[in-house]
């Protein structure tokens, strides 16, 4: 008998939690008023077998049903689903310290990019690094995300901006997915920008869009290194018409859609995403009332990234309350990236959700778990503590679900498991 078959039949009971955030309910995005219920329970634990949750019940009932189980003592902490960080750019080279100061002196983000800085400096840097180096740089960053209780991470390409460098970035994402216990989802964001070296060429834009749709999307889909395609749809970056061309290429290649939409200016991108059936549209700080209505009437998840707006110093945030009150499904993500959100703490995103976006703590939990999962097409797989779901869970050293957004900046996660395997533990 092998060790492996022994391990796969081991049952672990997470017991002695002060409070349990189950988020249990329908396996789909929660919309509007549904977001108020995070399924908070007391005296309830979770049984895990292999990679799955097999029961959620009182500690006594779990012990009776699984008398030989190993016990993991939550020590009167908070037991919760692992967070789903559905929007990151975690594969990159160097940090971009200089831009934070430049913005502080009044130079806006898009102007820095126009001068060849911003995203273009990350592109020059990534192209000069080996695949092995990019992998090694990403590992500790993902460990930091996991140490805040994140168990699923989406990672976008978009700092390669050439056919080989975009595909190479997605290869790194795939290598991370097989090397780490975290669930990692790849997204092709080749349409992050027009490569700097092509800007002055007469067919620079069109030739890049054609390479994305005819070479990068089909090859990434064939290698299964990306499940999604994403476009930075913003006046001055990619127009609505260009985004339509890109998105139909992505659909033809078999990729699902995400969109960077209405981040800095309202260009109608959110409504376009809803029309094209995007799984999520992200940012939305400048979304119009028509965009809000379009999302509320669609299945598209509205993913908000409050850390980015804070770090950019805009003094502005997405209209989260208006989205929820219109009946949209709101998710939260870190937007972890070297230019506009060098943030590796998901609990801090919850703080910003309550204090800046004016979500309730329960809404913030749903937005960071169930709705994050829905933003990756994984609502039936992760984001809740319920039988049959993936064993993606975390124990935090607090006794109340409101304490996580409250004690902001603290590192409170004691242990996190992704697919039945520890991806973080302290001590
Ligand atoms: Zn982004």
């Amino acid at each position: 008998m092998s060790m492996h078959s022994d391990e796969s039949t081991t049952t672990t009971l997470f017991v002695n939690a002060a409070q349990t955030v189950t988020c249990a309910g329908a396996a789909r995005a929660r919309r509007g008023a549904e977001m108020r219920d995070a399924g908070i329970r007391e005296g309830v634990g979770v049984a895990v077998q292999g990679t799955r949750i097999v029961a959620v019940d009182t500690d006594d009932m779990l012990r009776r049903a699984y008398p030989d189980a190993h016990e993991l003592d939550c020590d009167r902490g908070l037991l919760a689903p692992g967070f789903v960080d559905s929007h990151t750019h975690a594969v990159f080279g160097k940090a971009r310290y200089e831009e934070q100061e430049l913005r502080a002196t009044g130079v806006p983000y898009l102007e820095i990019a126009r001068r060849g800085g911003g995203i273009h400096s990350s592109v020059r840097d990534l192209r000069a690094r080996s695949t092995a180096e990019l992998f090694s740089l990403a590992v500790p960053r993902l460990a930091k995300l996991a140490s805040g209780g994140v168990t699923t991470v989406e990672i976008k390409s978009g700092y390669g901006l050439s056919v080989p460098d975009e595909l190479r970035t997605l290869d790194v994402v795939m290598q991370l997915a097989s090397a780490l216990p975290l669930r990692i989802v790849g997204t092709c964001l080749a349409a992050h920008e027009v490569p700097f070296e092509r800007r002055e060429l007469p067919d620079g834009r069109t030739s890049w869009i054609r390479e994305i749709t005819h070479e990068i999307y089909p090859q990434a889909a064939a290698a299964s290194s990306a499940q999604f395609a994403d476009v930075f749809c913003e006046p001055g970056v990619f127009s609505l018409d260009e985004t339509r061309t890109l998105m139909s290429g992505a659909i033809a290649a078999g990729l699902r859609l995400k969109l960077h939409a209405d981040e800095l200016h309202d260009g109608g991108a959110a409504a376009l995403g809803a029309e094209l059936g995007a799984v999520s549209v992200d940012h939305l700080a400048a979304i119009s009332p028509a965009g809000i209505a379009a999302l509320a009437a669609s299945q598209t998840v509205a993913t908000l990234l409050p850390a980015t707006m804070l770090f950019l110093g805009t003094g502005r945030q997405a209209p989260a309350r208006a989205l929820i009150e219109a009946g949209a499904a709101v998710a939260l993500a870190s937007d972890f990236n070297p230019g506009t959100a060098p943030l590796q703490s998901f609990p801090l995103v919850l703080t910003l959700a309550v204090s800046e976006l004016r979500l309730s703590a329960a809404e913030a939990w749903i937005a960071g778990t169930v709705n994050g999962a829905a933003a990756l097409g994984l609502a039936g797989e992760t984001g809740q503590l319920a039988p049959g779901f993936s064993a993606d869970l975390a124990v935090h050293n607090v006794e109340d679900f409101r304490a996580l957004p409250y004690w902001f900046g603290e590192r409170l996660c004691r242990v996190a498991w992704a697919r039945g395997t520890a991806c973080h533990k302290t001590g």
Side-chain angles (χ1 to χ4, degrees), residues 272-322:
L272 176 66
E275 179 201 322
L276 297 176
V279 178
S280 75
V281 290
D282 302 27
H283 279 297
L284 311 178
I287 191 173
S288 66
I292 293 173
L295 289 183
S298 77
Q299 298 297 310
T300 301
V301 174
T303 301
L304 307 185
L305 312 167
T308 308
M309 300 312 282
L310 182 86
F311 192 74
L312 286 173
T314 58
R316 218 161 41 129
Q317 286 289 356
R321 285 259 55 96

Side-chain angles (χ1 to χ4, degrees), residues 87-89 154 156 159 189 192 230 232 259-260 263 282-283 305 308 334-337 340-341:
H87 183 138
T88 84
H89 307 251
E154 183 254 21
K156 302 174 195 296
Y159 298 126
L189 179 58
H192 204 174
D230 192 343
F232 201 134
L259 219 49
H260 279 65
E263 174 179 356
D282 302 27
H283 279 297
L305 312 167
T308 308
S334 69
D335 195 19
F336 173 46
N337 78 76
T340 62

Side-chain angles (χ1 to χ4, degrees), residues 27-30 84-87 152 154 156 185-187 227-230 256-259 277-282 299-305 329-333 366-380 382-383:
R28 56 166 176 74
R30 311 287 164 76
V84 179
D85 195 347
S86 63
H87 183 138
T152 298
E154 183 254 21
K156 302 174 195 296
V185 177
T187 295
Q227 277 80 59
F228 292 93
D230 192 343
R256 290 194 280 175
L257 309 181
K258 287 181 162 290
L259 219 49
V279 178
S280 75
V281 290
D282 302 27
Q299 298 297 310
T300 301
V301 174
T303 301
L304 307 185
L305 312 167
V330 168
L332 289 167
I366 290 291
T369 55
V370 176
N371 285 2
L376 296 177
L378 293 170
T382 190

